[in-house]
Amino acid sequence: MRDSNITSEGEVHQFLIRYNQMLSNRNRGGSCTNCDCDLVGVGWVEMDDTDQTYGLQNYICCRCMKIYCYLCRAVDMNIGSMLETCDQCERVCCQECTTTLFCDYCDIYHCADCKDVVECSRSDCNYKVCADGMEICDKCKKCWCSDCFTVQSRCPICPERLCSDCSREKGVTPATFCGTCGTDHCDSCCSFRCPRPILNQNKWLKQENDRLKTEIRRLKDENRRLLA
C-alpha cells in the first residue's frame, strides 16, 4: 500500500514544498559553481510524487551545498559528471566531496561511502567494478573485473588465484580440458591429478629400474672376470 504521507496533501510532500522554497530563497540568483551558468527558476527538489526520483535534491551537493549543473564534467574525465547521484544511498554529492562512479557489474552508481569502485587492471578493458564484481590476484594484488579474470584462465586446482601476468611468471599454464580426468587444469597439476601421467611415470621408473639392475649385473660380472 502506498504511504498516505507521500501525496500532495501528505506531511512528507508538505515538508518538501517548504524545503524547496527554502532552497529557492537561499539560492536566489544562483549559478553553477563550475561553469557559472544561470540556474534561476530550476526545481531544487523533485516534486513529482509519481516518479522514482521524487524527493531527491537537484543541482546541490548534499554535503558542501555548492551548486552545480549536470552538464559540468569533473576535472578527472574518468569520473564523470561533477554532480552524481548514488543509486544505493540516493544522496547527490559533488565529486569533490565524495567520488561517485558507475559500476559495470551492478549497473548502478555507487558513492565511495557505500562501495569503492575501481578500474579493471586489464589495459584494454574500460570496466569499473565494486567488490561484488571484483577479482584480486593473490600475488600482485591487482583488481580485475570478473570477465577479464575469467579470460586470464587460471587453473581451478591450484591454491592461488593468479592473473595472467603472475601465472606466466610462475610458470602456470592456462587451464585446458583434460580428456583423461574430464576436468580443466594446468599442465603442472596434471602429474598428480590424472591417472594416466602417473601410470606412465611409474612405467618409466620401472623400466629405468630394470635397466639399472641389468647394468649392475653386467658390472659385477665384469668385476669378477677382472679379479679371476
Side-chain angles (χ1 to χ4, degrees):
M1 181 179 292
R2 183 177 174 83
D3 191 337
S4 59
N5 284 324
I6 306 179
T7 63
S8 57
E9 294 81 20
E11 293 180 5
V12 172
H13 192 80
Q14 294 303 314
F15 166 78
L16 291 176
I17 291 176
R18 294 193 297 272
Y19 183 64
N20 185 57
Q21 186 60 50
M22 183 200 73
L23 292 176
S24 299
N25 295 335
R26 175 185 293 178
N27 300 312
R28 196 182 303 277
S31 58
C32 175
T33 304
N34 199 45
C35 69
D36 206 35
C37 69
D38 189 6
L39 293 173
V40 175
V42 299
W44 300 107
V45 179
E46 291 289 347
M47 300 301 296
D48 184 359
D49 61 1
T50 63
D51 194 276
Q52 62 179 0
T53 61
Y54 173 68
L56 295 184
Q57 185 170 277
N58 287 324
Y59 305 103
I60 302 174
C61 173
C62 69
R63 293 191 174 186
C64 64
M65 298 301 289
K66 290 182 180 178
I67 302 173
Y68 293 98
C69 70
Y70 287 107
L71 297 178
C72 280
R73 305 284 293 180
V75 176
D76 183 354
M77 296 300 290
N78 290 323
I79 293 179
S81 299
M82 194 61 197
L83 204 63
E84 290 286 5
T85 303
C86 174
D87 292 314
Q88 194 164 355
C89 66
E90 296 188 340
R91 287 181 296 183
V92 181
C93 296
C94 70
Q95 301 287 13
E96 290 184 352
C97 289
T98 184
T99 303
T100 303
L101 296 173
F102 184 78
C103 174
D104 291 289
Y105 178 80
C106 301
D107 202 30
I108 61 174
Y109 281 90
H110 294 298
C111 69
D113 294 335
C114 291
K115 287 184 179 180
D116 286 328
V117 178
V118 299
E119 291 187 25
C120 175
S121 296
R122 189 172 176 175
S123 58
D124 58 346
C125 179
N126 297 320
Y127 266 38
K128 298 182 181 69
V129 292
C130 68
D132 293 339
M134 185 189 305
E135 299 283 357
I136 302 177
C137 175
D138 289 337
K139 184 177 180 181
C140 66
K141 305 303 180 184
K142 290 182 179 179
C143 300
W144 307 78
C145 71
S146 56
D147 289 341
C148 287
F149 202 82
T150 302
V151 171
Q152 309 303 324
S153 187
R154 63 167 293 279
C155 175
I157 303 173
C158 297
E160 292 182 306
R161 296 180 60 79
L162 303 178
C163 64
S164 61
D165 295 339
C166 294
S167 294
R168 284 193 295 269
E169 290 178 7
K170 197 172 180 180
V172 177
T173 58
T176 55
F177 180 77
C178 175
T180 301
C181 64
T183 61
D184 293 331
H185 54 68
C186 64
D187 290 343
S188 59
C189 290
C190 190
S191 59
F192 68 86
R193 176 72 178 181
C194 296
R196 184 175 298 170
I198 295 175
L199 292 175
N200 290 338
Q201 187 177 30
N202 288 340
K203 183 179 179 180
W204 178 85
L205 290 173
K206 185 177 183 304
Q207 291 173 346
E208 183 67 10
N209 186 53
D210 292 340
R211 186 189 68 79
L212 291 173
K213 285 181 179 180
T214 302
E215 180 66 15
I216 289 172
R217 283 196 298 268
R218 187 190 68 78
L219 291 173
K220 284 182 178 179
D221 291 342
E222 181 70 17
N223 186 50
R224 281 195 296 267
R225 187 184 66 79
L226 292 172
L227 291 174

